[in-house]
Amino acid sequence: MTVAYHTDVSPEAILAGMPSAERPCKIGPGRIPCAHTTPGELLDMLRQLRDEHGFTHLELLTAEEMQTASDDDGVGAEPGVRMVYGLTRRSDRRTMVIYVALPDGALEVPSISSLWRGAAPLEREVFDLFGVHFNGHPALTRIVLRDDFVGHPLRKSFEMPEGGVSAETVRAAAASHGDAHLRADGTADPASIPGLDPALLPCPEPGFETERIVVHMGPQHPSTHGVLHLWLVLDGETVVAAQPTQGYLHRCIEKLAESRDYRACTALLDRCDYVSGFHTELAHVLAVEELCGIESTPKADFLRVLFSELVRITSHHTWFAAAGLDTGALTPFLYAFIDRELILDFFEEVTGGRMMFNYFRPGGVKDDLPPGAAARMVEYLRTFDRAVDEYEALLTGNEIFRARTRGVAFLDRVTIADYCVTGPMARASGVDIDLRRDQPYAAYDRLPVRVALGEAGDTFERYLVRIAEMRESARLALAALEGLPEGPHVSDGVPRTIKPPKGAAYRAVESPRGELGVYLVSDGSAQPWRLKVRSPAMSNIHAAGPLCAGLRLADVAPVVGSIDIVMGEIDR
Amino acid sequence: MNGLLRIAVGVVAVVVVVMLNTVFVMWLERKFLGHLQSRRGPMRTGYHGLLQPFADALKMLGKEDLVPAAADRALFLVAPLIAFSPAVLIHVAMPWTEWFAKTASEIGLLMLFAVAALSPVGVVVAGWASHNKYSLIGGIRAAAQQVSYEVPLLLSVVGVVMLARSMRLTDVVGAQGVAWNIVWQPLGFLIFFIGMLAELNRVPFDLPEAESELVSGFNTEYSSMRFALFFLAEYMNVFTWSLVGALVFLGGWMGPVLPGVVWLALKTYALVLLIIWVRGTVPRVRVDQLLAVSWKVLLPASLLGAMITAVGVVFGPIVLVPLQFAGVLTLGWVIARLGNDAGEAARAVVRL
C-alpha cells in the first residue's frame, strides 16, 4: 500500500477525470468535493483513489437515509439508503466524499474491507443500523445491537415494537446470545467468534497434548477500560489471537439526535466521549455553524481552544492513571486523579458541569469566564509541568515499566493506514498528523501549535507522546488564556431555533484519541436528518487484534490501555 | 501434664500474637499505602481506622460462601486451609527472644524454608479447583514463580549459615554480635528481599493475582471466610518473612537499651514498611521477565554470594565485605540493564 502520495491534482480534477465518478458536486457550505458511483464500480474507484491519488485515509464510512425530495446536490428521489465514503489525502489534507445510492430492495454494496481492514467494523455498524449488506465482508454481524434485534433503527421507516422490548424478550435474547458461543460441554466455542481465523484454534503440535484456551476478557474485567470485550485465544500465556467486540455501551446517541434540535444535540454528544466532552461538542458546533453560516466570536474561539486543551489534559490524566494500573502500579492512578479534580473544578466553575458541560453553542460559548477564573487557571497551568514531572518520576524511568512497555506492540505505518488509526497512537509511530495544525479550527490558527511526534511506535513511545502532549496542552491553554481577546463570548443574531438549509457538513477536531468528526445532514428542519460521529477510538481499538497477537497475556491490558479507549465514544 | 499445659499455653500465645500482628500489618498496609498516595487510608473504624481489619473480618463472615457449580468441590473447600496452615505452622520454628525460642531446633532455618515451600500448594490447588481460566492461570503462575524463587531464596542464607556455623536460629542471631549480617551479607540480603517479595506474591511479583490481567487470579472464585483465609495467610506471610529477615539479617533481638522483643518488632516492621513502600512505587513484572530474573540473575548471584562468603570465612571480613558490596553493585547494574535493553529499536526523543 502506498502511504503518502504527493500530487498537485485537486480532488475536483481527479473526480472529473474519473469515468466511474458520476455527478461530481460539492456538499454543504464547506464545499467538500463529492461524486456518486455505483456499487459495481465502487471498489475499483476507491482502490484507484487510494493507490494512484494518495487518498489513503478512510476518514468516514457511514450511510444516511435518502432524502426523497430531490435537492441541490442531485440526490435521487428513490427511497433507500446512500453510503458515504469520506477519503482524505494526507499530503494536503484534502477530503472527498463518494456517495453510493442504494434503493430499497437492492441494499447491497461490495465490502471495502479488502482495501482497509478498519472498514470491516464500520460496515458492520452500517449493516446493523441501516440493513445494508456488504458482499465479501469477512463477518457481517450486528455490532452494537443484539444479534436477535429486529429491524434497523436508523432507517426512517423503523418503528419500535409496541410497548418497547419486554423483559422476557431481553432475557430470552440474553440466553440465546450467550449460548451461541458455547459448546455442549459449556466451554467457549472459538469457531463462533466473528472475524477470528478458525485455523488458529487446533492444537499446533501433534503428539503433544496441549489445548489452546479461549478467554473472554471483559466486558466485566478490572482493566478493560469500561465495557470492552476481547476474545483472547491463549497458548499458555501467549496470546495467539485477539478480537475486540463492542456494543455494550450503545446508547443510540445518533438515533436520539434525530429527534432533538441542534442545540440539544450538544448535550447528547457530551455523553458520547464522556472523558473529553468538549471535543464532541466542538465538532458538532463547528458543523452546525458551517451549515448555517454562523460565525463565532474571537473570544469564543479562544475559549474553545482553552477548554479543548484543558479537557485533553484531564483525558490524558485518565489514560495515565490507567497506564499505571494496567502494569500493576497503584500510585500513578491517585496522583493523576487528584490533579484531574483540580481541572474539573475549573470546568464546574465555568460551565456548571464536571464532565457533562453543554457549554459550546453555535455562535460561541454559553458563558463568559467568571471573575478571577482566568487568573486561577493561569496560576494552575504555570505549575503544571511540575505535576507531570512527578508522574514521570513514577513511571518513565522505572526499570520495570520500561521492561513492560519498550519494544512491546509495535504499530507500523501500514497497519495505521489499514485500520484508519489517528491521534497520539499514529503520532507515536511517526505519522505526523494533527488536525489542530493541519486543519486549524477555533483559534488554533492564531496559536503556536506544536505536535508531539514519536518514532518507535511501541507502547512506551505512545506513553511518551501522551506525556509530551499533556505538557503541550498546558502550554497551549496558557497561551489561549493570555491571548484571550476582549469582546462578546457569543455572536449576535443566532436564531432561537436553528434550521440550517438543506445540505451536509463534516467537521473534525483533534480529540485526545484522534480525529473525531461529526457528519451532519440537514433536511431543512430543526432536527438533524442524520448525525454521525466518526469515533477515533473505534478505529483505533480494532487495531488491537494485530497489536496483541504474539504478546503475553500480561501485555494485553497495557497495550489496550495505550490505545486509550473510551467505550462511550466507541459504542455511542 | 505440666508439659502439655505449657505446650497448649505456648501455642495459644503464639497464635494470638501472630494473628494480632497480622491484623496490624493489614491496617498498616492500608494506612501507609494511603499516605504514600496522598490520601488517609481507613479513618472511620476506631482511632485512625485501627479496627478496620476487624470490621472487614466481620463483613467477610457475613458473606455467602459460594462454591461454583463446576468447581472441584472437595479441593475447592480445602485449598484455603492448605494455604493457611503453613503460614501458622512456620511460627513453631521462630524464636522471639533468647529465652522464648519455642523449639530451639538444630535445623530451624531449614525448617522455615521447608514449611514455607508448602504454601504454593494451596494456591495451585485453589487455581485448579475453581474451574476458572483466570484462576487456573493464576495457580500455574504461582507454581512457576514460587518454585523458581525458592532456590535463590534458600541459597541467599547459605552465607549466613556459614558465618554462624549453625542452622539454629538462636545461633544465627547470636553470631551477629559484632555487626548485623546485612553488613557481612549485603548481597545475600538483597537476594533474600527480592526472593521474599516473590515468595509472598507481593508487588512487583504479584502475578498469581494480577488484577489487570487475571481479575483476581487464583482467588477469583472465592468469597466469604475462604477468601479471608487466603487474605490472612498472605498478610501473615508478610509478617513472618519480615520476622525472618529481621532475625537472619538485621540482628534479631540485638540492640541497646530497649528490650529484645521491642528491637525485634522494630526491625520486623521496618521490613514490613519497606515491602509496602515497594508496592506503592513500582509496577508488576511480566511472567517471562519474572522467571528470567530468577534463573538468569538471582540464582547465579546467590551462588556467587555463597562463594564470596566461603572465601571470606577463610580470609576474614576485610575480603568479605568489599566483595559482597561489589556483588550488590553488579546485581543492581544487571537488573537495571534488564529494563533498558528490552526494546532494541532506535528511539528518538519525542520531538516537539
Side-chain angles (χ1 to χ4, degrees):
Chain A
M1 183 187 290
T2 47
V3 173
Y5 196 88
H6 294 276
T7 171
D8 298 327
V9 189
S10 72
E12 291 87 345
I14 295 170
L15 288 177
M18 280 185 134
S20 53
E22 300 157 11
R23 290 182 284 157
C25 55
K26 305 262 186 182
I27 53 165
R31 315 304 290 163
I32 298 173
C34 68
H36 293 72
T37 191
T38 58
E41 284 166 317
L42 173 73
L43 212 51
D44 282 337
M45 182 173 173
L46 292 184
R47 182 179 291 120
Q48 201 182 345
L49 284 170
R50 186 190 74 178
D51 295 344
E52 290 171 24
H53 301 287
F55 284 83
T56 52
H57 180 46
L58 179 69
E59 181 138 4
L60 189 66
L61 190 163
T62 187
E64 64 185 76
E65 176 95 14
M66 208 90 83
Q67 296 184 44
T68 39
S70 175
D71 58 33
D72 56 357
D73 58 3
V75 177
E78 267 184 285
V81 170
R82 69 173 179 181
M83 293 295 303
V84 184
Y85 298 91
L87 302 180
T88 302
R89 183 162 64 188
R90 291 291 190 201
S91 52
D92 56 356
R93 285 275 347 151
R94 288 299 302 271
T95 300
M96 65 162 73
V97 169
I98 309 294
Y99 286 124
V100 182
L102 306 171
D104 279 340
L107 292 178
E108 275 185 48
V109 72
S111 164
I112 62 162
S113 55
S114 56
L115 298 178
W116 286 276
R117 271 186 287 174
L122 302 169
E123 289 177 336
R124 282 175 64 193
E125 188 183 307
V126 173
F127 164 74
D128 196 354
L129 302 175
F130 285 92
V132 176
H133 281 268
F134 293 88
N135 299 325
H137 191 284
L140 195 62
T141 51
R142 287 189 184 269
I143 190 164
V144 288
L145 300 174
R146 295 195 321 263
D147 283 350
D148 65 331
F149 193 89
V150 181
H152 302 284
L154 282 187
R155 294 304 308 271
K156 301 285 179 188
S157 55
F158 174 79
E159 274 179 24
M160 206 57 190
E162 191 65 35
V165 182
S166 73
E168 287 76 42
T169 335
V170 171
R171 267 197 293 276
S176 72
H177 190 75
D179 289 345
H181 302 301
L182 291 185
R183 288 188 287 233
D185 61 352
T187 54
D189 178 11
S192 68
I193 306 173
L196 199 66
D197 182 4
L200 288 169
L201 297 166
C203 153
E205 292 156 76
F208 185 62
E209 268 196 53
T210 62
E211 193 183 344
R212 286 182 169 167
I213 56 173
V214 179
V215 174
H216 289 267
M217 193 166 167
Q220 274 83 36
H221 188 284
S223 64
T224 51
H225 303 262
V227 285
L228 175 69
H229 175 222
L230 284 163
W231 293 95
L232 297 177
V233 181
L234 295 181
D235 186 358
E237 289 256 357
T238 308
V239 178
V240 180
Q243 174 78 25
T245 56
Q246 59 176 89
Y248 292 94
L249 203 56
H250 180 56
R251 291 152 299 163
C252 327
I253 283 178
E254 290 173 10
K255 174 76 178 168
L256 286 172
E258 291 177 10
S259 55
R260 300 284 192 282
D261 68 38
Y262 283 88
R263 273 203 191 86
C265 287
T266 323
L268 273 179
L269 291 171
D270 268 334
R271 281 138 185 90
C272 184
D273 181 349
Y274 42 75
V275 182
S276 67
F278 282 122
H279 289 280
T280 9
E281 276 185 30
L282 185 56
H284 170 67
V285 165
L286 289 173
V288 174
E289 284 174 359
E290 185 175 303
L291 271 178
C292 306
I294 303 170
E295 290 274 320
S296 93
T297 66
K299 183 167 196 177
D301 282 347
F302 275 77
L303 287 176
R304 285 173 179 185
V305 169
L306 170 66
F307 285 106
S308 295
E309 292 308 319
L310 284 179
V311 87
R312 188 187 316 278
I313 295 176
T314 64
S315 172
H316 282 0
H317 272 142
T318 320
W319 154 80
F320 177 81
L325 279 186
D326 288 340
T327 47
L330 273 172
T331 310
F333 180 84
L334 286 129
Y335 273 47
F337 265 66
I338 289 168
D339 286 349
R340 181 169 178 265
E341 287 297 303
L342 299 176
I343 301 184
L344 295 189
D345 286 345
F346 291 134
F347 292 158
E348 189 176 6
E349 189 180 356
V350 179
T351 72
R354 295 171 77 80
M355 287 174 82
M356 307 298 153
F357 313 108
N358 204 8
Y359 180 63
F360 294 162
R361 298 285 157 89
V365 296
K366 188 176 83 183
D367 285 314
D368 204 348
L369 295 181
R376 282 193 293 279
M377 285 186 207
V378 168
E379 194 187 344
Y380 173 77
L381 290 168
R382 288 233 165 97
T383 59
F384 182 76
D385 263 346
R386 251 184 286 158
V388 183
D389 289 343
E390 277 192 357
Y391 307 158
E392 289 215 70
L394 272 174
L395 287 185
T396 310
N398 184 293
E399 274 77 15
I400 297 176
F401 184 74
R402 290 169 87 99
R404 289 294 305 277
T405 52
R406 287 187 67 173
V408 173
F410 284 107
L411 184 64
D412 58 74
R413 286 161 181 244
V414 175
T415 314
I416 286 175
D418 209 8
Y419 282 90
C420 324
V421 172
T422 52
M425 242 188 123
R427 289 195 285 274
S429 299
V431 179
D432 193 4
I433 46 169
D434 191 321
L435 291 180
R436 291 175 292 174
R437 180 200 58 203
D438 302 337
Q439 219 174 54
Y441 49 91
Y444 281 113
D445 51 347
R446 283 155 273 175
L447 288 165
V449 180
R450 295 195 298 177
V451 178
L453 196 63
E455 197 171 300
D458 56 3
T459 307
F460 190 61
E461 196 85 344
R462 293 192 274 278
Y463 165 87
L464 288 180
V465 162
R466 289 204 180 88
I467 288 284
E469 281 190 2
M470 285 171 96
R471 297 183 191 272
E472 270 312 291
S473 290
R475 210 182 50 83
L476 264 177
L478 201 56
L481 269 171
E482 281 163 355
L484 195 65
E486 292 297 313
H489 63 275
V490 64
S491 53
D492 297 332
V494 180
R496 184 174 289 269
T497 307
I498 297 176
K499 280 191 178 181
K502 273 189 181 186
Y506 175 77
R507 289 301 298 262
V509 299
E510 186 71 30
S511 96
R513 275 154 280 288
E515 293 178 4
L516 189 146
V518 165
Y519 175 71
L520 203 55
V521 183
S522 163
D523 61 344
S525 72
Q527 291 91 28
W529 177 257
R530 170 91 173 101
L531 188 158
K532 153 80 185 169
V533 179
R534 184 218 184 257
S535 152
M538 178 170 169
S539 293
N540 293 358
I541 188 58
H542 285 277
L547 270 185
C548 290
L551 300 181
R552 305 291 172 139
L553 174 62
D555 292 324
V556 172
V559 169
V560 170
S562 79
I563 298 175
D564 189 21
I565 51 169
V566 171
M567 288 316 289
E569 185 221 69
I570 293 178
D571 289 341
R572 283 159 280 133
Chain B
M1 190 61 215
N2 196 17
L4 274 181
L5 191 69
R6 273 188 56 184
I7 291 175
V9 170
V11 165
V12 171
V14 168
V15 170
V16 167
V17 170
V18 170
M19 286 298 262
L20 280 177
N21 273 292
T22 307
V23 164
F24 185 67
V25 169
M26 284 179 189
W27 174 83
L28 196 65
E29 159 135 49
R30 297 183 62 174
K31 205 72 194 171
F32 186 48
L33 202 59
H35 282 279
L36 283 177
Q37 297 169 341
S38 335
R39 57 192 177 87
R40 286 177 158 186
M43 286 299 286
R44 309 257 166 162
T45 10
Y47 177 73
H48 279 254
L50 260 175
L51 297 177
Q52 188 66 42
F54 297 102
D56 287 346
L58 273 179
K59 183 197 74 178
M60 283 289 179
L61 278 170
K63 298 276 180 189
E64 186 184 354
D65 182 13
L66 276 173
V67 182
D72 185 327
R73 196 176 164 85
L75 285 181
F76 185 85
L77 295 183
V78 85
L81 299 175
I82 305 180
F84 184 72
S85 336
V88 187
L89 190 63
I90 203 168
H91 282 274
V92 170
M94 204 82 76
W96 288 346
T97 63
E98 275 160 290
W99 49 267
F100 196 87
K102 288 143 280 184
T103 50
S105 166
E106 289 282 323
I107 51 159
L109 198 53
L110 195 59
M111 185 187 161
L112 284 184
F113 288 94
V115 177
L118 292 175
S119 62
V121 176
V123 173
V124 175
V125 169
W128 168 259
S130 297
H131 198 269
N132 173 319
K133 287 164 188 166
Y134 292 126
S135 304
L136 181 64
I137 296 173
I140 291 170
R141 279 182 178 186
Q145 171 172 338
Q146 305 207 340
V147 166
S148 308
Y149 275 81
E150 245 145 43
V151 183
L153 190 63
L154 188 57
L155 287 175
S156 71
V157 297
V158 165
V160 171
V161 176
M162 282 184 193
L163 291 178
R165 292 168 197 268
S166 165
M167 280 198 188
R168 199 194 298 268
L169 276 162
T170 41
D171 293 348
V172 168
V173 176
Q176 302 179 56
V178 180
W180 300 349
N181 269 335
I182 191 169
V183 178
W184 308 122
Q185 294 285 320
L187 182 61
F189 178 71
L190 191 60
I191 296 167
F192 176 83
F193 187 71
I194 297 174
M196 173 171 110
L197 290 177
E199 188 73 17
L200 291 169
N201 300 337
R202 295 284 305 189
V203 176
F205 305 113
D206 58 337
L207 284 89
E209 43 192 309
E211 192 207 13
S212 53
E213 302 139 33
L214 302 181
V215 186
S216 189
F218 65 89
N219 61 33
T220 305
E221 296 288 357
Y222 280 90
S223 60
S224 183
M225 271 321 277
R226 287 183 205 284
F227 171 76
L229 279 181
F230 280 120
F231 198 72
L232 265 178
E234 188 184 325
Y235 282 89
M236 198 175 277
N237 284 332
V238 169
F239 170 68
T240 309
W241 282 99
S242 302
L243 192 57
V244 174
L247 287 170
V248 174
F249 287 100
L250 300 182
W253 48 81
M254 304 256 185
V257 189
L258 296 169
V261 178
V262 176
W263 272 112
L264 186 60
L266 284 177
K267 291 167 184 175
T268 305
Y269 279 98
L271 278 178
V272 170
L273 288 177
L274 190 59
I275 294 174
I276 301 171
W277 188 11
V278 170
R279 180 175 176 202
T281 313
V282 298
R284 181 187 309 120
V285 299
R286 206 169 54 207
V287 66
D288 53 326
Q289 296 164 344
L290 172 102
L291 297 180
V293 167
S294 171
W295 294 110
K296 293 183 186 165
V297 181
L298 291 185
L299 182 61
S302 57
L303 287 171
L304 185 73
M307 267 170 60
I308 291 174
T309 312
V311 172
V313 168
V314 176
F315 293 101
I318 311 279
V319 179
L320 178 60
V321 174
L323 278 177
Q324 279 273 337
F325 274 100
V328 169
L329 291 178
T330 317
L331 182 59
W333 181 75
V334 169
I335 291 180
R337 277 185 58 88
L338 285 180
N340 287 328
D341 282 358
E344 291 304 328
R347 177 184 308 277
V349 183
V350 170
R351 301 191 299 271
L352 276 174

